Amino acid sequence: TCTSTEYGDPFGAMGNSRAMHFNSAQKNILGWLPPTSVKTHTKGRTTYTLAPLESPGGSTYAVKIPAATKRTYWLEYRQPIGFDSGLSAYPNNGAQFRVAYPFESICSGCADDTEFLDMTPATTATTDGTLVVGKSYTDTLYGITVNVTAATASSLTLEVQSLGDPPKPDFDFSGSTDLLFASLFPPPARDAPPPAPRRRHPD
């Protein structure tokens, strides 16, 4: 049910919409971010504090989440500073989400850079697409959850959790593991007798 718009990122010069900062994935490619300022989340639950992408001297500017071969998330914090002053007209107390190439796309020929993800798909605008404080996003396919817990003018705090195991098949969207899957791989019986002890033969 998604839609894809080429040059549709509303928060960057490369989106052909506004003269704003390049996003964190693009700045990273250009070498404009210190390598230590991009944190890669691979497992477990971790809390990150992001500095505004526009402010110099920050210790962490982005969280990179390599969820799958064609799904790498980039999370960043943007504030109405300098070239990004236009952000004052839109929700900016949250995280901006993007995926970086290579990623799934339904737009032919436009899957070679980054793609802004609209976190409020219920509205027609994309300028309100920031995941704001108190909201969460869950990737049920790859078992990743992001919670935005706090935001000030100088920092954003969010929690990223990766599940240890991939989700079990739920093709009928019932909220539980499909019966077909369970019948193919049944769990061991709880009341099964213990294995007989092995006899030791004397030498």
Side-chain angles (χ1 to χ4, degrees):
T1 60
C2 297
T3 59
S4 181
T5 304
E6 190 172 7
Y7 296 108
D9 188 336
F11 301 117
M14 297 302 291
N16 202 28
S17 297
R18 294 169 179 83
M20 290 184 172
H21 277 255
F22 289 0
N23 62 55
S24 57
Q26 293 167 342
K27 287 189 174 186
N28 185 67
I29 292 173
L30 293 167
W32 293 357
L33 295 180
T36 57
S37 70
V38 177
K39 307 301 182 184
T40 301
H41 183 91
T42 56
K43 62 181 179 179
R45 177 185 297 179
T46 305
T47 297
Y48 300 94
T49 300
L50 304 183
L53 192 62
E54 307 85 358
S55 300
S59 59
T60 302
Y61 286 118
V63 177
K64 177 183 177 182
I65 310 173
T69 302
K70 289 191 175 182
R71 191 175 303 184
T72 298
Y73 293 102
W74 283 76
L75 282 55
E76 64 188 52
Y77 187 42
R78 303 278 287 274
Q79 287 293 284
I81 301 170
F83 287 112
D84 276 354
S85 60
L87 286 170
S88 59
Y90 312 113
N92 54 58
N93 62 327
Q96 288 191 9
F97 278 65
R98 288 175 179 81
V99 287
Y101 177 82
F103 53 80
E104 307 99 322
S105 176
I106 58 175
C107 177
S108 177
C110 59
D112 59 352
D113 186 20
T114 62
E115 191 167 61
F116 176 76
L117 302 182
D118 185 359
M119 292 290 114
T120 56
T123 64
T124 56
T126 55
T127 49
D128 62 354
T130 300
L131 187 70
V132 298
V133 173
K135 299 295 184 179
S136 65
Y137 166 76
T138 298
D139 180 335
T140 57
L141 184 61
Y142 297 113
I144 294 170
T145 297
V146 178
N147 295 295
V148 181
T149 58
T152 67
S154 59
S155 67
L156 176 79
T157 304
L158 51 82
E159 181 186 78
V160 181
Q161 180 178 5
S162 299
L163 300 180
D165 298 315
K168 301 297 188 294
D170 183 20
F171 299 113
D172 58 1
F173 301 101
S174 62
S176 59
T177 301
D178 288 334
L179 295 178
L180 175 61
F181 180 86
S183 64
L184 292 175
F185 303 97
R190 292 180 178 273
D191 56 352
R198 298 180 61 186
R199 293 185 178 182
R200 297 187 61 186
H201 296 279
D203 295 336

